[in-house]
Amino acid sequence: MYLRLKDSVVAMPTAAVDKPSWVFDRDYEWDVLANFVRSGSPRARLGVVSGRRRQGKTFLLRALAEATNAFYYAAAETTATDSLRDLGTAIAARAGGALPYAIGTWDEAIRALRATFPDGLVIIDEFPYLIRSDPSLPSLMQRALDDQAWGRQEQGTRFLLCGSAMSVMGSLLAGNAPLRGRSALELMVAPFDYRTAARFWGIEDDPALAVLVHSIVGGTPAYRSEFVADDVPESRADFDAWVTRTVLNPAVPLFREARYLLAEETDIREPAIYNAVLGAIAEGNATRGGIANYVGRKSSELLHPLTVLEDAGLITRADDPFHARKSQFEITEPLIAFYQTVMRPAWTQLEQRQAATVWQRQHATFSAKVVGPHFEAICRDWAAREGASVFGEFPAQVAAATINDGTGQTQIEVDVAVRMAGTPQEPGRILSLGEAKWGEVMGIGHLNRLRRARDLLAAKKEPVADAVLACYSGAGFTDELRELAASDPRVLLVSLQQLYA
């Protein structure tokens, strides 16, 4: 027998669920979770929350549990027997039982949760740990949800399942998975975007410093709070010292974090090949063929590693807007790109606490191979977010691209190509062609390169006549280019201040 909590204690909220003041940002995520909790639909019985580690999922769900008086349980990486014992203790404690519930199977565990919280919310964090100890758990959960649905109850226990193992969480609702079609919520908690990250670090008034910091730690909240104990660079002058005392310091948890990110993914069983693939991308080998040549494998042999890394949210693939069968890969976790480019080649010296020497030697590499590509990615993010107001139409695709210049037997790289949606009969109009330079003052030469790219595309019958030619710079623009842009509405100059406005 299980104690049943009074309905008045655990009934689903009907009024608005206010986000606590101590939860930074995450307004969208909070509203989605609150709507799930408050939904009057009997179908809203299951929600799935996922996202890479350190993004604040647990912080957010604990806040939700507190605001809604829900039952929250964080699973541990242990045996099924130990997990069931721990869960029985947690349920009994919440229900006011004198002794832990004796739960022998996961089927009994689900029944206990439903009996104890018949109209309440049950949040199970780190759900992949439980699946690992008993793979039948999703099927048991499916049966319980179907039983509730068959009962035609207006109310019923609602489950929020959360996890950081992206491949596991992604498979819960995919294909023929038992829980496919049962979930009313599928929320991905992503890192903060570059603007929100700057506010979180308190450096939004210094866009150059914000780019530098974001190129290392990205938008992962925990990297400021837990991993560097709120050590924030005071200014650009303090940035180099901040790097050596935090991310390059063996005594700081952030030092080994990039290595742990790979180890935490359950589908990664041969770290060497995955590290090699990430290293290849960090070195600028963005195509599958380029990656294969770099790691010394056949292109077909990299299909699985690339898919696993993409499913884990560590890399992303973008189609080239001007080549239907060509795509480029990009590392989405800045800390991994920083590790592969700056830390991995000097790992022994860093472990010997030679951070200042390593940083002095690697600083130019950091600017060229880490900050430069990262700045390009920020510019693409800006174009995707602001495109409708800047280019006059909603962008359907924003990506890097290459254009063959047959005259010189070379290629022109377009860092920010913006295209609107098209149809099978008519390709989407090209809204903008852009070049991004982090540490270089941009002038007429950069604009002429974009003009050449536009002419080459026009020769191929691409709809590019009205495209805006955009120059994105972290170092500024020449007076000549500024004067030309002031008189030509089809030339756009985007500064650091505009990116962070």
Side-chain angles (χ1 to χ4, degrees):
M1 295 293 293
Y2 304 111
L3 297 176
R4 174 174 172 150
L5 295 190
K6 294 180 180 179
D7 292 342
S8 60
V9 176
V10 296
M12 292 292 177
T14 55
V17 181
D18 294 330
K19 188 186 77 171
S21 59
W22 38 267
V23 176
F24 180 84
D25 198 71
R26 299 300 189 197
D27 293 337
Y28 169 78
E29 291 85 352
W30 185 267
D31 289 343
V32 167
L33 291 168
N35 288 338
F36 172 78
V37 172
R38 296 171 55 230
S39 173
S41 171
R43 297 182 182 277
R45 300 289 170 78
L46 174 66
V48 174
V49 179
S50 61
R52 298 206 318 270
R53 293 190 186 279
R54 331 296 189 224
Q55 305 310 322
K57 299 184 302 300
T58 295
F59 187 78
L60 189 65
L61 291 177
R62 282 187 178 275
L64 181 69
E66 182 177 317
T68 60
N69 200 28
F71 174 72
Y72 174 88
Y73 174 72
E77 193 170 12
T78 185
T79 64
T81 300
D82 194 34
S83 294
L84 289 167
R85 184 187 302 113
D86 186 43
L87 180 60
T89 301
I91 298 174
R94 176 62 192 276
L99 296 173
Y101 291 165
I103 299 176
T105 67
W106 282 114
D107 199 23
E108 292 178 8
I110 295 172
R111 288 203 301 269
L113 289 168
R114 291 179 57 195
T116 310
F117 312 103
D119 300 322
L121 174 65
V122 172
I123 302 173
I124 302 179
D125 204 354
E126 296 299 352
F127 191 64
Y129 286 155
L130 303 183
I131 297 177
R132 192 179 305 171
S133 65
D134 189 341
S136 69
L137 185 52
S139 295
L140 298 175
M141 185 70 70
Q142 171 209 344
R143 186 168 65 186
L145 293 168
D146 289 349
D147 287 346
Q148 285 193 132
W150 184 255
R152 305 294 184 185
Q153 298 169 284
E154 293 185 3
Q155 296 295 325
T157 307
R158 297 188 182 183
F159 293 90
L160 268 179
L161 310 180
C162 179
S164 302
M166 299 295 289
S167 56
V168 177
M169 296 302 295
S171 65
L172 281 181
L173 307 177
N176 296 320
L179 292 176
R180 178 172 173 79
R182 270 79 178 179
S183 178
L185 167 68
E186 187 175 1
L187 174 64
M188 172 79 72
V189 179
F192 291 143
D193 64 68
Y194 70 93
R195 287 172 174 168
T196 306
R199 290 193 293 110
F200 184 71
W201 280 80
I203 53 178
E204 67 272 22
D205 293 334
D206 189 342
L209 178 61
V211 172
L212 292 172
V213 172
H214 196 266
S215 69
I216 297 178
V217 296
T220 298
Y223 292 164
R224 173 186 170 168
S225 52
E226 288 92 345
F227 280 66
V228 299
D230 292 315
D231 184 349
V232 178
E234 297 177 359
S235 63
R236 288 195 68 181
D238 183 45
F239 176 74
D240 290 344
W242 176 80
V243 172
T244 58
R245 70 176 181 256
T246 56
V247 66
L248 299 184
N249 184 353
V252 174
L254 196 60
F255 179 76
R256 293 179 175 82
E257 172 66 5
R259 290 189 165 196
Y260 295 154
L261 288 174
L262 273 181
E264 288 168 348
E265 283 299 322
T266 57
D267 283 353
I268 296 179
R269 298 183 177 88
E270 189 184 352
I273 184 62
Y274 292 89
N275 269 309
V277 168
L278 291 170
I281 299 174
E283 284 293 320
N285 302 281
T287 65
R288 185 181 297 174
I291 297 169
N293 289 335
Y294 185 90
V295 303
R297 296 285 185 95
K298 295 179 180 178
S299 181
S300 58
E301 295 176 347
L302 297 182
L303 179 60
H304 179 69
L306 287 170
T307 300
V308 171
L309 289 171
E310 195 172 359
D311 290 345
L314 299 179
I315 66 172
T316 186
R317 180 184 61 181
D319 295 331
D320 189 308
F322 311 130
H323 299 83
R325 296 184 178 181
K326 186 177 181 181
S327 59
Q328 297 192 39
F329 293 89
E330 178 184 337
I331 295 176
T332 56
E333 174 50 64
L335 188 61
I336 287 182
F338 181 81
Y339 165 77
Q340 293 288 345
T341 305
V342 175
M343 299 178 68
R344 189 180 173 195
W347 188 255
T348 300
Q349 289 77 20
L350 289 172
E351 286 191 315
Q352 294 171 347
R353 291 173 285 181
Q354 300 179 39
T357 301
V358 169
W359 183 238
Q360 183 179 12
R361 187 175 69 243
Q362 295 284 71
H363 199 281
T365 300
F366 167 70
S367 295
K369 295 186 177 181
V370 177
V371 188
H374 190 76
F375 179 67
E376 294 171 9
I378 286 178
C379 295
R380 287 191 288 270
D381 190 358
W382 180 87
R385 293 172 182 271
E386 307 295 331
S389 59
V390 175
F391 305 122
E393 298 284 351
F394 183 80
Q397 184 182 19
V398 180
T402 56
I403 302 169
N404 293 323
D405 188 342
T407 303
Q409 298 297 314
T410 59
Q411 289 184 328
I412 297 178
E413 295 184 358
V414 178
D415 300 321
V416 188
V418 184
R419 192 164 203 162
M420 64 182 292
T423 66
Q425 294 76 29
E426 185 177 353
R429 185 161 57 88
I430 298 170
L431 302 177
S432 176
L433 301 174
E435 183 166 354
K437 296 296 182 183
W438 164 247
E440 185 177 339
V441 175
M442 301 187 73
I444 295 297
H446 298 90
L447 180 62
N448 287 338
R449 187 156 48 244
L450 292 174
R451 287 168 169 166
R452 174 62 179 165
R454 180 187 59 192
D455 293 344
L456 291 169
L457 290 171
K460 295 179 180 180
K461 308 302 181 182
E462 288 279 7
V464 71
D466 297 326
V468 172
L469 303 182
C471 294
Y472 304 80
S473 177
F477 311 94
T478 64
D479 292 340
E480 185 181 11
L481 183 58
R482 289 185 181 279
E483 291 176 7
L484 191 153
S487 61
D488 188 346
R490 310 312 297 172
V491 175
L492 174 68
L493 306 185
V494 183
S495 65
L496 280 175
Q497 288 69 30
Q498 288 169 274
L499 290 173
Y500 280 85

